[in-house]
Amino acid sequence: MTKPVLLQAIGLLPDVDRALAEHYTVHRLPPAGPERDALLARHGHEITGLVTSARAGFDAALLDRLPRLQVISSFGVGLDTLDVPAAKARAIPVGYTPDVLTDCVADLAFGLLLSIARRIPEGDRYVRAGRWTQQPPVAFPFGRRVSGARLGIVGLGRIGQAIARRATGFDMAVRYHARRPAEGVALEFAPQLTELARWADYLVVSTSGGPSTRHLVDAQVLEALGTKGFLVNIARGTVVDEAALVRALQDKRLGGAALDVFEREPEVPPALFALDNVVLLPHIASATVETRAAMGQRVLDNLAAFYAGQPLVTAA
Ligand code: 8YV
């Protein structure tokens, strides 16, 4: 039997790439330019499956170059870089990897929350720089309490709910803001995000990205969060008005921020590098050995299901 022909837009994990190469004929998509055009001109009409990721995405222009495309399998839960409507218009199912990463992303939200509140990275820098033993001594500043504090969650999908569950272990009061109240959830719903920010000690962003949430956390929301409040973002950089956030942090009008994602990542505003009231991570919320392996397996399982004539395990 001939193997189905795939286009792979991005390398995933060595094991997953090996499994793809074993079960399929794989063409790697070169970066935009003449090489890509040549590959698509030569092989575009053979390709029936596209492997991509939340980072690499796909657009309608690429689909136009793949006239026999039947299935897409994406590594990641985010859909903001995937033109799902364009795929739906062509009746192409889009697989993605929700659920398997929920716990690790929620764990990292708490890691960031504790890091900024208790000044953990700053304390690490203080010890390494020898400031603990310095004479005369330089006192390490106090952090802020997490247990029993008020947590506002922006977006109460799977990840937001997992963050809320973790908050119960810290005896936190939890409220959330979303487009509409979540069904079967006992938490208090905040229809106005600025009101939630005014109330909260910690505001964690866990909503999806894309045009509908762009700059949802704007200057007004940051002002409402104020010097008593901390912003944590494990969702998408685009949800926060980054320029307004940088200004608020520089002017000390916000307690602090802990960020795994950025508007133009991997570019991070250099103004943030000099500030102690911010914790910066390189988009690692799902990056554990276990979770990345599970995400890779789901990419394979979604493809295998499709080529066996079954519905995808998880389709967008
Ligand atoms: C990954 C993510 O970094 O799942 C997502 O949407 O943003 C992360 O888990 C990403 O999928 C890697 O491409």
Side-chain angles (χ1 to χ4, degrees), residues 86-136:
K88 289 220 161 118
R90 293 161 173 80
I92 299 168
V94 179
Y96 72 137
T97 69
D99 308 319
V100 294
L101 48 62
T102 300
D103 283 332
C104 278
V105 176
D107 291 350
L108 194 86
F110 260 91
L112 280 172
L113 193 156
L114 287 161
S115 292
I116 189 66
R118 301 301 308 273
R119 300 175 175 268
I120 295 172
E122 198 183 333
D124 180 85
R125 291 194 291 273
Y126 172 92
V127 173
R128 286 171 197 261
R131 279 185 297 220
W132 202 9
T133 51
Q134 193 173 309
Q135 290 302 334

Side-chain angles (χ1 to χ4, degrees), residues 10 53-56 75-79 97 101 235-236 283 286 292 295:
I10 190 165
S53 73
R55 180 162 309 192
F75 181 87
V77 69
L79 300 176
T97 69
L101 48 62
R236 285 292 183 261
H283 197 150
S286 71
R292 284 291 168 88
M295 291 164 67

Side-chain angles (χ1 to χ4, degrees), residues 18-297:
R18 257 194 300 276
L20 287 171
E22 191 183 325
H23 297 289
Y24 304 94
T25 298
V26 179
H27 295 288
R28 282 293 188 97
L29 185 66
E35 237 193 291
R36 172 182 293 203
D37 283 338
L39 179 116
L40 292 172
R42 184 142 183 220
H43 296 290
H45 63 285
E46 299 161 14
I47 283 153
T48 60
L50 171 66
V51 175
T52 188
S53 73
R55 180 162 309 192
F58 68 83
D59 57 16
L62 180 62
L63 302 190
D64 285 342
R65 308 287 304 269
L66 308 172
R68 294 184 54 214
L69 190 68
Q70 293 171 22
V71 63
I72 297 168
S73 186
S74 178
F75 181 87
V77 69
L79 300 176
D80 51 320
T81 57
L82 315 186
D83 193 342
V84 177
K88 289 220 161 118
R90 293 161 173 80
I92 299 168
V94 179
Y96 72 137
T97 69
D99 308 319
V100 294
L101 48 62
T102 300
D103 283 332
C104 278
V105 176
D107 291 350
L108 194 86
F110 260 91
L112 280 172
L113 193 156
L114 287 161
S115 292
I116 189 66
R118 301 301 308 273
R119 300 175 175 268
I120 295 172
E122 198 183 333
D124 180 85
R125 291 194 291 273
Y126 172 92
V127 173
R128 286 171 197 261
R131 279 185 297 220
W132 202 9
T133 51
Q134 193 173 309
Q135 290 302 334
V138 191
F140 187 72
F142 293 155
R144 295 291 290 271
R145 187 180 162 97
V146 172
S147 287
R150 295 169 167 188
L151 174 67
I153 301 177
V154 185
L156 204 73
R158 302 172 185 87
I159 295 170
Q161 293 189 30
I163 292 168
R165 283 197 296 279
R166 281 153 180 74
T168 62
F170 286 88
D171 301 319
M172 298 177 97
V174 182
R175 295 182 186 176
Y176 72 99
H177 171 77
R179 249 166 309 181
R180 61 189 83 83
E183 268 176 49
V185 170
L187 303 172
E188 189 167 323
F189 172 68
Q192 298 298 329
L193 179 51
T194 40
E195 289 314 309
L196 182 68
R198 217 178 300 288
W199 171 84
D201 300 311
Y202 302 97
L203 192 68
V204 178
V205 182
S206 63
T207 187
S208 49
S212 66
T213 57
R214 187 168 182 277
H215 290 189
L216 186 63
V217 176
D218 59 9
Q220 225 188 327
V221 172
L222 296 171
E223 192 191 309
L225 192 56
T227 51
K228 59 124 178 73
F230 296 87
L231 181 75
V232 174
N233 190 1
I234 46 79
R236 285 292 183 261
T238 52
V239 183
V240 176
D241 180 342
E242 199 167 85
L245 175 62
V246 171
R247 283 194 298 273
L249 289 166
Q250 282 178 318
D251 302 348
K252 307 271 183 286
R253 285 182 282 109
L254 187 67
L259 311 169
D260 187 43
V261 287
F262 300 87
E263 268 199 271
R264 280 168 286 277
E265 60 187 57
E267 303 301 327
V268 174
L272 296 180
F273 298 159
L275 300 178
D276 268 337
N277 55 353
V278 64
V279 174
L280 308 169
L281 290 182
H283 197 150
I284 56 165
S286 71
T288 63
V289 171
E290 297 85 350
T291 287
R292 284 291 168 88
M295 291 164 67
Q297 190 58 50

